[in-house]
Amino acid sequence: MSVQTPPKRPLVEVRDLKMHFPILGGLLRRQVGAVKAVDGVSFEILPGETLGVVGESGCGKSTVGRAVLRLYEATAGSVIIDGEDIAAMPAEKLRQKRPTMQMVFQDPQASLNPRMTVAGIIGEPLDEHTDWSRARKLERIYELMDAVGLNRDFANRYPHAFSGGQRQRIGIARALALNPKFIVCDEPIAALDVSIQAQVVNLLEQLQDDFGLTYLFISHDLSMVRHIADRVAVMYLGKIVELAPVAELYANPLHPYTEALLSAVPEPDPSIEARKDRIVLKGDVPSPANPPKGCNFCTRCPKVMEICHRIDPETIEAAPGHLVACHLISNKQTAGSTGGPEAERKQTENQQGEVA
Amino acid sequence: MTDAAPTPAPDTARIRPPRNQWWDVWDQFKIHRGALLGSIVFLAIIAFCFIGPLIWPYDATYIDIRARNQGMSWAHPFGTDQLGRDIMARMMSGGQVSLAVGIVAMGLAMLIGTGIGVLAGYFRRIDGLLMRMTDLFLALPLLPLLLVMSMLFRQPLSSAFGVETGMFLLIVTAIGITSWMPTARVVRGDVLALKEREYVLAARSIGTPPRRLILRHVVPNVLSPVMVSATLMIATAIITESALSFLGLGFPPDFPTWGRLVNDGIDYLQQYPGRAMLPGVFISLTVLSVNYIGDGLRDALDPRIRGR
């Protein structure tokens, strides 16, 4: 894994990012609360690496992606991309910085202007950031269309004339137009059918090799993330609960939520699938406007302890490069005991008895 | 990449470069039968009003009292009125004014309406202010406002631009600023929905400044409702102008406009029904043809409909 290679300077460094959307209420439209969509997220991405972000719907994955590119004004925290803090940058400087970082959107239907031709859509970044001649822009557009596997003859067509996979290629070509270093892929495959998903993911990987791109790959498809990512961050209710290299995470999940997520991945072998004991989480994700006290996951955790309802767990490094925020792990580490699991299980059973 | 990627075939090496989108628009427009017919009628009316007077020997204000109240003849195809003025000549010069008022007032109303709608929808900070202003204008009654306006501005405008141009400016402004509100509301609603679309977000992630973002992504996509209200506006403006002239707030009585001619003809409706109906028919034809043109344009400007 790229994490083990001698320390490189991270391309993207996100520190304690918070994105709270105000809830206005009352006659005077005062702020009466906040939806804490992202609440203190930190991670870094090395150049050429892919960081996968997984989590269930509404956990703040897409908001992280958008806040990192400052499509939302973050409430707090810093986003350092290529040595410069995006979150605190003045507008004009940000505009000039935009070519370094681009985004591929979830819904290829909605992310292309229906009234622009493919050439217009792919060429828009060039219109904004270069003063090239028309012929040179066209040359670049054709080059990009070749890179993403689109026929050059499609340049005059409109988005409605394309299939979902082709539209996503157009979106990817647009993101590549300015030679970015960092691309946020916001569920780029969620709206595509399975055979096309593979094509698009392979395309993304190939482009990463060709152009040395760095991805923040947001998805809820765990198998796809396992395939494309180098490291994976698991998000729950606006926080990263576990962040580890992909092999480590899938082989040795530490956080109960990660375990539950991984147990939900279908197994290709039916005999294994039948014997697998799935962890089914009860209830719904709590509202991010009113998160539970203590650990965010304490309302649904199968291994909940008394301490979880009181104190929000710190993120600790359980193994090299394996970060996790859970009392189970921090207890184990602070106690230094190895025979803990039995005692712990007993304790959790008691806890669950109390909760239920 | 997998074999699914369409490899650029060498035999299609000669690829058409992107051509101007307006050619696509024209290609679609000319196969829209209604729109084509509408444009032919509209152009014919414009030619009648603006080229006709150059050919037609009679002047709109020439009085030949011995030839009054004549019916249709070769000398006077539409007849003459109670003062012996040739009605065909009056239709021509009346049409010039009515068409100009209709089109300019429509343009003004659409400009204000779309502008305010887009700004209110896009910039949340000024949304409340602009929409309350729209409500305020909706509450203004047209006729009293016009009365005040003509009291205040008739003299200065007439002395600055001459009676007719002054009146024209006054009427166009009055109609324009009292009829943009429905457009503004419709446009604002559409913009509110549009600005959350991912392609607007994509443009922001590219670093497109708001000005170009609005012109490139927002305005083209609110064109349909604007086009519909624009075609209806022309008719409303022509009719409003005639109502104003009838009340003595518009152009002077001897100055022909289509609305004015209808009003003059109403007095003689029993004896000479054609005199009121003819300008009415011209107003209706104009409105109808403009509606069809608007319909065709709206279809032609939408690439999703184009090519069907």
Side-chain angles (χ1 to χ4, degrees), chain B residues 211-257:
Chain B
R211 180 167 41 88
R212 261 173 297 186
L213 203 150
I214 285 172
L215 288 180
R216 195 179 296 154
H217 295 287
V218 175
V219 171
N221 283 293
V222 295
L223 222 56
S224 297
V226 170
M227 206 73 95
V228 172
S229 40
T231 54
L232 295 176
M233 254 309 291
I234 290 196
T236 323
I238 291 178
I239 290 161
T240 310
E241 181 276 320
S242 67
L244 292 175
S245 300
F246 180 66
L247 289 173
L249 297 171
F251 293 104
D254 58 336
F255 189 75
T257 69

Short mmCIF file of all heavy atoms in Angstrom, two decimals, chain B residues 211-257:
data_model
loop_
_atom_site.label_atom_id
_atom_site.label_comp_id
_atom_site.label_asym_id
_atom_site.label_seq_id
_atom_site.Cartn_x
_atom_site.Cartn_y
_atom_site.Cartn_z
N ARG B 211 -21.71 35.81 -12.85
CA ARG B 211 -22.23 36.50 -14.02
C ARG B 211 -22.32 35.56 -15.22
O ARG B 211 -23.36 35.39 -15.85
CB ARG B 211 -21.31 37.68 -14.33
CG ARG B 211 -21.67 38.53 -15.50
CD ARG B 211 -20.83 39.81 -15.43
NE ARG B 211 -19.44 39.52 -15.04
CZ ARG B 211 -18.48 39.20 -15.90
NH1 ARG B 211 -18.73 39.15 -17.18
NH2 ARG B 211 -17.24 38.94 -15.47
N ARG B 212 -21.20 34.88 -15.49
CA ARG B 212 -21.19 33.98 -16.65
C ARG B 212 -22.01 32.72 -16.39
O ARG B 212 -22.58 32.14 -17.29
CB ARG B 212 -19.76 33.62 -17.02
CG ARG B 212 -19.27 34.48 -18.18
CD ARG B 212 -17.83 34.26 -18.43
NE ARG B 212 -17.05 34.69 -17.27
CZ ARG B 212 -15.73 34.73 -17.24
NH1 ARG B 212 -15.06 34.36 -18.28
NH2 ARG B 212 -15.09 35.13 -16.17
N LEU B 213 -22.02 32.32 -15.11
CA LEU B 213 -22.81 31.14 -14.75
C LEU B 213 -24.29 31.38 -15.05
O LEU B 213 -24.98 30.53 -15.60
CB LEU B 213 -22.60 30.87 -13.27
CG LEU B 213 -22.86 29.45 -12.79
CD1 LEU B 213 -21.98 29.14 -11.61
CD2 LEU B 213 -24.29 29.27 -12.41
N ILE B 214 -24.75 32.58 -14.71
CA ILE B 214 -26.15 32.92 -14.97
C ILE B 214 -26.41 32.94 -16.46
O ILE B 214 -27.37 32.36 -16.96
CB ILE B 214 -26.48 34.27 -14.31
CG1 ILE B 214 -26.61 34.11 -12.80
CG2 ILE B 214 -27.76 34.86 -14.89
CD1 ILE B 214 -26.75 35.39 -12.05
N LEU B 215 -25.53 33.61 -17.21
CA LEU B 215 -25.76 33.75 -18.65
C LEU B 215 -25.65 32.41 -19.37
O LEU B 215 -26.36 32.17 -20.34
CB LEU B 215 -24.77 34.75 -19.24
CG LEU B 215 -25.04 36.20 -18.87
CD1 LEU B 215 -24.01 37.11 -19.50
CD2 LEU B 215 -26.43 36.61 -19.31
N ARG B 216 -24.76 31.55 -18.92
CA ARG B 216 -24.50 30.32 -19.66
C ARG B 216 -25.43 29.18 -19.25
O ARG B 216 -25.82 28.37 -20.06
CB ARG B 216 -23.05 29.91 -19.45
CG ARG B 216 -22.57 28.88 -20.43
CD ARG B 216 -21.11 28.55 -20.18
NE ARG B 216 -20.22 29.67 -20.42
CZ ARG B 216 -19.04 29.81 -19.82
NH1 ARG B 216 -18.64 28.93 -18.95
NH2 ARG B 216 -18.27 30.85 -20.08
N HIS B 217 -25.74 29.12 -17.94
CA HIS B 217 -26.47 27.94 -17.48
C HIS B 217 -27.89 28.24 -17.02
O HIS B 217 -28.77 27.42 -17.19
CB HIS B 217 -25.72 27.27 -16.33
CG HIS B 217 -24.39 26.72 -16.73
ND1 HIS B 217 -24.27 25.59 -17.49
CD2 HIS B 217 -23.14 27.16 -16.51
CE1 HIS B 217 -22.99 25.35 -17.71
NE2 HIS B 217 -22.28 26.29 -17.13
N VAL B 218 -28.08 29.39 -16.42
CA VAL B 218 -29.40 29.65 -15.84
C VAL B 218 -30.35 30.23 -16.87
O VAL B 218 -31.43 29.67 -17.12
CB VAL B 218 -29.28 30.58 -14.61
CG1 VAL B 218 -30.64 30.94 -14.08
CG2 VAL B 218 -28.44 29.91 -13.53
N VAL B 219 -29.96 31.32 -17.51
CA VAL B 219 -30.88 31.99 -18.43
C VAL B 219 -31.34 31.09 -19.59
O VAL B 219 -32.54 31.01 -19.86
CB VAL B 219 -30.26 33.31 -18.95
CG1 VAL B 219 -31.10 33.90 -20.05
CG2 VAL B 219 -30.12 34.30 -17.81
N PRO B 220 -30.44 30.36 -20.27
CA PRO B 220 -30.94 29.52 -21.36
C PRO B 220 -31.98 28.50 -20.89
O PRO B 220 -32.86 28.12 -21.66
CB PRO B 220 -29.69 28.80 -21.85
CG PRO B 220 -28.56 29.67 -21.46
CD PRO B 220 -28.97 30.30 -20.18
N ASN B 221 -31.89 28.08 -19.64
CA ASN B 221 -32.81 27.07 -19.17
C ASN B 221 -34.12 27.63 -18.64
O ASN B 221 -35.04 26.87 -18.33
CB ASN B 221 -32.14 26.20 -18.11
CG ASN B 221 -31.19 25.20 -18.74
OD1 ASN B 221 -31.61 24.29 -19.44
ND2 ASN B 221 -29.91 25.40 -18.54
N VAL B 222 -34.23 28.96 -18.49
CA VAL B 222 -35.53 29.52 -18.12
C VAL B 222 -36.18 30.17 -19.34
O VAL B 222 -37.16 30.89 -19.22
CB VAL B 222 -35.44 30.56 -16.98
CG1 VAL B 222 -34.99 29.91 -15.71
CG2 VAL B 222 -34.56 31.72 -17.33
N LEU B 223 -35.61 29.90 -20.52
CA LEU B 223 -36.09 30.56 -21.73
C LEU B 223 -37.53 30.20 -22.06
O LEU B 223 -38.29 31.05 -22.54
CB LEU B 223 -35.18 30.18 -22.89
CG LEU B 223 -34.83 31.31 -23.83
CD1 LEU B 223 -34.20 32.46 -23.08
CD2 LEU B 223 -33.86 30.82 -24.88
N SER B 224 -37.92 28.96 -21.80
CA SER B 224 -39.26 28.52 -22.22
C SER B 224 -40.38 29.36 -21.60
O SER B 224 -41.20 29.91 -22.33
CB SER B 224 -39.47 27.05 -21.89
OG SER B 224 -38.55 26.27 -22.60
N PRO B 225 -40.44 29.50 -20.27
CA PRO B 225 -41.51 30.32 -19.72
C PRO B 225 -41.42 31.78 -20.16
O PRO B 225 -42.44 32.44 -20.36
CB PRO B 225 -41.33 30.18 -18.20
CG PRO B 225 -39.97 29.67 -18.00
CD PRO B 225 -39.64 28.87 -19.21
N VAL B 226 -40.18 32.27 -20.33
CA VAL B 226 -40.02 33.66 -20.76
C VAL B 226 -40.60 33.83 -22.16
O VAL B 226 -41.32 34.79 -22.45
CB VAL B 226 -38.53 34.06 -20.73
CG1 VAL B 226 -38.34 35.40 -21.39
CG2 VAL B 226 -38.03 34.11 -19.32
N MET B 227 -40.31 32.87 -23.02
CA MET B 227 -40.81 32.93 -24.39
C MET B 227 -42.33 32.95 -24.43
O MET B 227 -42.94 33.70 -25.19
CB MET B 227 -40.28 31.70 -25.14
CG MET B 227 -40.18 31.91 -26.61
SD MET B 227 -38.81 32.96 -26.96
CE MET B 227 -37.58 31.76 -27.30
N VAL B 228 -42.94 32.11 -23.60
CA VAL B 228 -44.40 32.05 -23.59
C VAL B 228 -44.96 33.39 -23.15
O VAL B 228 -45.85 33.96 -23.80
CB VAL B 228 -44.88 30.92 -22.66
CG1 VAL B 228 -46.38 30.99 -22.49
CG2 VAL B 228 -44.48 29.58 -23.21
N SER B 229 -44.44 33.95 -22.05
CA SER B 229 -45.03 35.21 -21.60
C SER B 229 -44.69 36.33 -22.57
O SER B 229 -45.48 37.26 -22.72
CB SER B 229 -44.61 35.55 -20.17
OG SER B 229 -43.29 35.25 -19.94
N ALA B 230 -43.56 36.22 -23.28
CA ALA B 230 -43.20 37.27 -24.24
C ALA B 230 -44.22 37.34 -25.37
O ALA B 230 -44.68 38.43 -25.73
CB ALA B 230 -41.81 37.02 -24.80
N THR B 231 -44.60 36.20 -25.90
CA THR B 231 -45.54 36.24 -27.03
C THR B 231 -46.89 36.77 -26.58
O THR B 231 -47.55 37.50 -27.31
CB THR B 231 -45.70 34.84 -27.64
OG1 THR B 231 -46.05 33.93 -26.62
CG2 THR B 231 -44.44 34.39 -28.32
N LEU B 232 -47.29 36.42 -25.37
CA LEU B 232 -48.57 36.93 -24.88
C LEU B 232 -48.48 38.43 -24.59
O LEU B 232 -49.45 39.17 -24.75
CB LEU B 232 -49.00 36.18 -23.62
CG LEU B 232 -49.29 34.70 -23.84
CD1 LEU B 232 -49.60 34.02 -22.53
CD2 LEU B 232 -50.45 34.54 -24.80
N MET B 233 -47.28 38.86 -24.18
CA MET B 233 -47.10 40.27 -23.82
C MET B 233 -47.33 41.20 -25.00
O MET B 233 -47.87 42.29 -24.84
CB MET B 233 -45.66 40.48 -23.34
CG MET B 233 -45.46 40.66 -21.86
SD MET B 233 -46.52 41.88 -21.18
CE MET B 233 -45.81 43.36 -21.92
N ILE B 234 -46.91 40.80 -26.21
CA ILE B 234 -47.07 41.67 -27.38
C ILE B 234 -48.54 42.03 -27.56
O ILE B 234 -48.90 43.21 -27.71
CB ILE B 234 -46.53 40.97 -28.65
CG1 ILE B 234 -45.01 40.88 -28.56
CG2 ILE B 234 -46.94 41.75 -29.89
CD1 ILE B 234 -44.36 40.58 -29.87
N ALA B 235 -49.39 41.01 -27.49
CA ALA B 235 -50.82 41.26 -27.63
C ALA B 235 -51.32 42.20 -26.56
O ALA B 235 -51.99 43.20 -26.84
CB ALA B 235 -51.56 39.94 -27.56
N THR B 236 -50.96 41.90 -25.31
CA THR B 236 -51.42 42.73 -24.20
C THR B 236 -50.98 44.17 -24.40
O THR B 236 -51.75 45.11 -24.16
CB THR B 236 -50.85 42.20 -22.87
OG1 THR B 236 -50.84 40.79 -22.93
CG2 THR B 236 -51.66 42.67 -21.70
N ALA B 237 -49.74 44.36 -24.85
CA ALA B 237 -49.22 45.72 -25.00
C ALA B 237 -49.98 46.47 -26.08
O ALA B 237 -50.33 47.64 -25.88
CB ALA B 237 -47.73 45.66 -25.34
N ILE B 238 -50.27 45.82 -27.22
CA ILE B 238 -51.01 46.49 -28.29
C ILE B 238 -52.39 46.91 -27.78
O ILE B 238 -52.85 48.03 -28.02
CB ILE B 238 -51.13 45.56 -29.52
CG1 ILE B 238 -49.76 45.38 -30.17
CG2 ILE B 238 -52.11 46.14 -30.53
CD1 ILE B 238 -49.76 44.45 -31.35
N ILE B 239 -53.02 46.01 -27.06
CA ILE B 239 -54.38 46.30 -26.59
C ILE B 239 -54.36 47.37 -25.50
O ILE B 239 -55.19 48.28 -25.49
CB ILE B 239 -55.05 45.00 -26.12
CG1 ILE B 239 -55.32 44.13 -27.36
CG2 ILE B 239 -56.33 45.28 -25.37
CD1 ILE B 239 -55.55 42.68 -27.07
N THR B 240 -53.38 47.30 -24.60
CA THR B 240 -53.28 48.32 -23.56
C THR B 240 -53.07 49.69 -24.17
O THR B 240 -53.68 50.69 -23.75
CB THR B 240 -52.11 48.00 -22.60
OG1 THR B 240 -52.22 46.66 -22.19
CG2 THR B 240 -52.13 48.92 -21.40
N GLU B 241 -52.23 49.74 -25.20
CA GLU B 241 -51.97 51.02 -25.86
C GLU B 241 -53.26 51.60 -26.42
O GLU B 241 -53.53 52.80 -26.29
CB GLU B 241 -50.91 50.83 -26.95
CG GLU B 241 -50.53 52.08 -27.71
CD GLU B 241 -51.50 52.37 -28.84
OE1 GLU B 241 -51.92 51.42 -29.53
OE2 GLU B 241 -51.87 53.54 -29.00
N SER B 242 -54.09 50.73 -27.05
CA SER B 242 -55.34 51.24 -27.62
C SER B 242 -56.27 51.74 -26.52
O SER B 242 -56.92 52.77 -26.67
CB SER B 242 -56.01 50.16 -28.46
OG SER B 242 -56.46 49.11 -27.64
N ALA B 243 -56.28 51.02 -25.40
CA ALA B 243 -57.13 51.46 -24.29
C ALA B 243 -56.67 52.82 -23.78
O ALA B 243 -57.48 53.71 -23.52
CB ALA B 243 -57.08 50.43 -23.16
N LEU B 244 -55.36 53.00 -23.69
CA LEU B 244 -54.83 54.26 -23.20
C LEU B 244 -55.15 55.39 -24.17
O LEU B 244 -55.57 56.49 -23.76
CB LEU B 244 -53.31 54.16 -23.00
CG LEU B 244 -52.87 53.24 -21.88
CD1 LEU B 244 -51.37 53.12 -21.86
CD2 LEU B 244 -53.38 53.76 -20.56
N SER B 245 -54.96 55.13 -25.45
CA SER B 245 -55.26 56.17 -26.43
C SER B 245 -56.74 56.53 -26.40
O SER B 245 -57.11 57.69 -26.55
CB SER B 245 -54.89 55.69 -27.84
OG SER B 245 -53.52 55.39 -27.89
N PHE B 246 -57.55 55.53 -26.21
CA PHE B 246 -58.99 55.74 -26.14
C PHE B 246 -59.34 56.67 -24.99
O PHE B 246 -60.20 57.54 -25.09
CB PHE B 246 -59.68 54.39 -25.97
CG PHE B 246 -61.17 54.48 -25.90
CD1 PHE B 246 -61.91 54.90 -27.00
CD2 PHE B 246 -61.85 54.14 -24.74
CE1 PHE B 246 -63.29 54.98 -26.93
CE2 PHE B 246 -63.22 54.22 -24.67
CZ PHE B 246 -63.95 54.64 -25.77
N LEU B 247 -58.64 56.52 -23.87
CA LEU B 247 -58.91 57.34 -22.70
C LEU B 247 -58.26 58.71 -22.81
O LEU B 247 -58.39 59.53 -21.91
CB LEU B 247 -58.40 56.64 -21.45
CG LEU B 247 -59.20 55.42 -21.04
CD1 LEU B 247 -58.51 54.70 -19.90
CD2 LEU B 247 -60.61 55.82 -20.64
N GLY B 248 -57.56 58.95 -23.90
CA GLY B 248 -56.93 60.25 -24.07
C GLY B 248 -55.61 60.37 -23.33
O GLY B 248 -55.07 61.46 -23.20
N LEU B 249 -55.08 59.25 -22.82
CA LEU B 249 -53.82 59.30 -22.09
C LEU B 249 -52.65 58.95 -23.00
O LEU B 249 -51.50 59.10 -22.62
CB LEU B 249 -53.84 58.32 -20.92
CG LEU B 249 -54.87 58.63 -19.85
CD1 LEU B 249 -54.95 57.49 -18.85
CD2 LEU B 249 -54.50 59.92 -19.15
N GLY B 250 -52.97 58.47 -24.19
CA GLY B 250 -51.90 58.03 -25.06
C GLY B 250 -51.61 59.03 -26.14
O GLY B 250 -51.48 60.24 -25.88
N PHE B 251 -51.58 58.53 -27.37
CA PHE B 251 -51.26 59.38 -28.50
C PHE B 251 -52.41 60.34 -28.78
O PHE B 251 -53.55 60.06 -28.44
CB PHE B 251 -51.01 58.50 -29.73
CG PHE B 251 -49.77 57.67 -29.59
CD1 PHE B 251 -49.86 56.32 -29.30
CD2 PHE B 251 -48.52 58.25 -29.74
CE1 PHE B 251 -48.72 55.55 -29.17
CE2 PHE B 251 -47.38 57.48 -29.60
CZ PHE B 251 -47.48 56.13 -29.32
N PRO B 252 -52.11 61.48 -29.41
CA PRO B 252 -53.18 62.43 -29.74
C PRO B 252 -54.22 61.78 -30.67
O PRO B 252 -53.89 60.86 -31.42
CB PRO B 252 -52.44 63.57 -30.43
CG PRO B 252 -51.07 63.09 -30.69
CD PRO B 252 -50.79 61.99 -29.75
N PRO B 253 -55.47 62.28 -30.66
CA PRO B 253 -56.58 61.62 -31.35
C PRO B 253 -56.37 61.45 -32.85
O PRO B 253 -56.81 60.45 -33.42
CB PRO B 253 -57.77 62.54 -31.10
CG PRO B 253 -57.39 63.37 -29.94
CD PRO B 253 -55.91 63.45 -29.90
N ASP B 254 -55.71 62.39 -33.51
CA ASP B 254 -55.58 62.26 -34.96
C ASP B 254 -54.41 61.37 -35.36
O ASP B 254 -54.16 61.15 -36.52
CB ASP B 254 -55.39 63.66 -35.58
CG ASP B 254 -54.17 64.35 -35.01
OD1 ASP B 254 -53.78 63.98 -33.88
OD2 ASP B 254 -53.60 65.23 -35.67
N PHE B 255 -53.71 60.84 -34.37
CA PHE B 255 -52.54 60.03 -34.65
C PHE B 255 -52.97 58.57 -34.69
O PHE B 255 -53.41 58.03 -33.68
CB PHE B 255 -51.51 60.27 -33.53
CG PHE B 255 -50.18 59.64 -33.80
CD1 PHE B 255 -49.31 60.21 -34.73
CD2 PHE B 255 -49.79 58.50 -33.13
CE1 PHE B 255 -48.09 59.63 -34.96
CE2 PHE B 255 -48.57 57.93 -33.37
CZ PHE B 255 -47.71 58.50 -34.29
N PRO B 256 -52.91 57.90 -35.84
CA PRO B 256 -53.50 56.57 -35.92
C PRO B 256 -52.65 55.48 -35.28
O PRO B 256 -51.43 55.47 -35.44
CB PRO B 256 -53.62 56.34 -37.43
CG PRO B 256 -52.54 57.15 -38.03
CD PRO B 256 -52.32 58.32 -37.12
N THR B 257 -53.30 54.62 -34.53
CA THR B 257 -52.73 53.34 -34.11
C THR B 257 -53.84 52.33 -34.30
O THR B 257 -55.00 52.70 -34.44
CB THR B 257 -52.30 53.34 -32.63
OG1 THR B 257 -53.47 53.39 -31.83
CG2 THR B 257 -51.42 54.52 -32.29
#
